[in-house]
Amino acid sequence: MAVTYSIGEVAEMFGLSVPTIRYYDKEGLIPNLNKNAAGVRRFNEDNVSTLKIVECLKNAGMPIKDIKQFVQWTLQGDKTLNERSQMFQELRVSVQEQMKQLQETLDTINFKCAYYGKATSDGTEKYVKEEMHLN
């Protein structure tokens, strides 16, 4: 018999709330999700794999409506391979831009950490400003 997981187990796996997973199911983001005789959701490995992709797309900043479109394309099979490929190509560019912006932010934060580290050890900003030519 195949291993299945409860909604609580899946929520814990992904660090999500049970209502969030119920919302994903309601929105059709987890196709072929089975329910037992009592109507309780039981997640199989395919459902968990789908949820991994949904979370990846969400973390990349993709709106739910676009994630729904992706899921629909996957259900349509090979005839949508080009659309799915193009979607991931565009998403990669978007994530690379986000990473570039985050790196610039981190560079500024690192600079300020060094600045204030020196200023606090000196007990004044005077010397660090002179050192860094920030007058």
Side-chain angles (χ1 to χ4, degrees), residues 66-120:
D66 294 340
I67 298 172
K68 283 169 93 168
Q69 178 62 72
F70 170 73
V71 170
Q72 290 305 308
W73 284 336
T74 63
L75 294 173
Q76 293 172 30
D78 289 349
K79 70 181 181 178
T80 62
L81 286 173
N82 287 334
E83 289 88 343
R84 289 181 273 162
S85 176
Q86 181 65 35
M87 182 202 80
F88 275 99
Q89 301 284 337
E90 291 170 8
L91 191 58
R92 176 172 48 198
V93 170
S94 172
V95 169
Q96 287 170 333
E97 181 57 34
Q98 290 173 47
M99 290 174 69
K100 180 180 174 237
Q101 291 171 355
L102 282 172
Q103 185 60 56
E104 291 170 4
T105 299
L106 181 58
D107 291 346
T108 300
I109 290 168
N110 285 337
F111 171 79
K112 286 299 190 178
C113 284
Y115 176 94
Y116 287 111
K118 177 83 171 111
T120 56

Side-chain angles (χ1 to χ4, degrees):
M1 184 170 191
V3 175
T4 63
Y5 306 94
S6 70
I7 195 167
E9 291 170 325
V10 172
E12 190 173 317
M13 274 184 221
F14 289 94
L16 297 171
S17 69
V18 169
T20 296
I21 296 176
R22 285 190 185 120
Y23 171 75
Y24 288 172
D25 182 28
K26 184 178 138 252
E27 290 297 313
L29 301 181
I30 313 168
N32 307 313
L33 181 57
N34 293 314
K35 294 182 181 177
N36 67 16
V40 176
R41 293 167 180 88
R42 294 303 301 177
F43 294 76
N44 62 29
E45 291 297 334
D46 285 343
N47 303 138
V48 171
S49 292
T50 298
L51 199 48
K52 283 179 186 173
I53 294 296
V54 168
E55 279 300 286
C56 171
L57 297 175
K58 255 191 63 217
N59 289 337
M62 184 177 280
I64 293 292
K65 72 176 182 61
D66 294 340
I67 298 172
K68 283 169 93 168
Q69 178 62 72
F70 170 73
V71 170
Q72 290 305 308
W73 284 336
T74 63
L75 294 173
Q76 293 172 30
D78 289 349
K79 70 181 181 178
T80 62
L81 286 173
N82 287 334
E83 289 88 343
R84 289 181 273 162
S85 176
Q86 181 65 35
M87 182 202 80
F88 275 99
Q89 301 284 337
E90 291 170 8
L91 191 58
R92 176 172 48 198
V93 170
S94 172
V95 169
Q96 287 170 333
E97 181 57 34
Q98 290 173 47
M99 290 174 69
K100 180 180 174 237
Q101 291 171 355
L102 282 172
Q103 185 60 56
E104 291 170 4
T105 299
L106 181 58
D107 291 346
T108 300
I109 290 168
N110 285 337
F111 171 79
K112 286 299 190 178
C113 284
Y115 176 94
Y116 287 111
K118 177 83 171 111
T120 56
S121 73
D122 291 347
T124 180
E125 288 184 81
K126 178 182 177 190
Y127 305 115
V128 74
K129 278 184 176 182
E130 289 173 1
E131 220 175 86
M132 296 182 172
H133 307 290
L134 296 176
N135 295 331

